[in-house]
Amino acid sequence: MKKIFLVLFVLFIFIFVGCGEKINIEAPEEIDVYLNEDFKLELKLENITLDEIIFDVIDKNIAKCENGVVTGLKEGETKIMISDKKNKVTKEVVVNVVKKPVITIDDSVRF
């Protein structure tokens, strides 16, 4: 009887300890950001808050990121590494900084 109780107790401990809250960060794989404009990353966070996340831009000449808001500084491509401070969960986002298209209207055309 003691062996059965001990086995059940050990199984309960394994199940209880193994059921910790899973940390998850979901982010787009790639985004386009206009030069000199801001783009808010749409993140889905599970069991973590924005305050617990680090945003590390690989090429800081092309873009910057503060609290999930990406600003295009120079045309080009870089990556943002999004990770939590405690558990080392990491996501990578490719950032393409492009010029905003200019639309011109030809007002000489009459309908």
Side-chain angles (χ1 to χ4, degrees):
M1 185 67 163
K2 287 184 181 182
K3 288 182 183 180
I4 293 174
F5 178 73
L6 181 61
V7 170
L8 290 175
F9 180 74
V10 171
L11 285 173
F12 175 76
I13 294 297
F14 279 127
I15 292 170
F16 183 72
V17 172
C19 291
E21 292 182 341
K22 182 180 175 189
I23 304 293
N24 190 30
I25 302 170
E26 289 185 28
E29 291 182 16
E30 187 170 351
I31 60 170
D32 291 332
V33 179
Y34 290 131
L35 186 62
N36 299 317
E37 291 196 13
D38 293 338
F39 181 92
K40 180 152 178 59
L41 281 171
E42 292 190 25
L43 303 175
K44 183 178 178 187
L45 306 176
E46 292 181 34
N47 302 314
I48 191 168
T49 65
L50 196 58
D51 296 335
E52 299 172 290
I53 294 179
I54 299 170
F55 297 91
D56 185 27
V57 180
I58 302 302
D59 190 338
K60 293 171 178 49
N61 294 316
I62 293 178
K64 69 178 182 176
C65 184
E66 295 176 5
N67 295 322
V69 178
V70 181
T71 304
L73 303 175
K74 177 181 164 185
E75 282 186 276
E77 180 180 292
T78 188
K79 293 180 183 176
I80 298 175
M81 303 304 289
I82 304 169
S83 57
D84 77 309
K85 297 175 183 178
K86 296 178 186 174
N87 300 298
K88 307 300 181 217
V89 174
T90 303
K91 288 290 180 181
E92 179 180 286
V93 178
V94 175
V95 178
N96 299 303
V97 177
V98 296
K99 283 185 181 178
K100 192 170 188 173
V102 177
I103 299 172
T104 57
I105 299 173
D106 185 0
D107 62 352
S108 65
V109 177
R110 306 263 182 219
F111 293 101

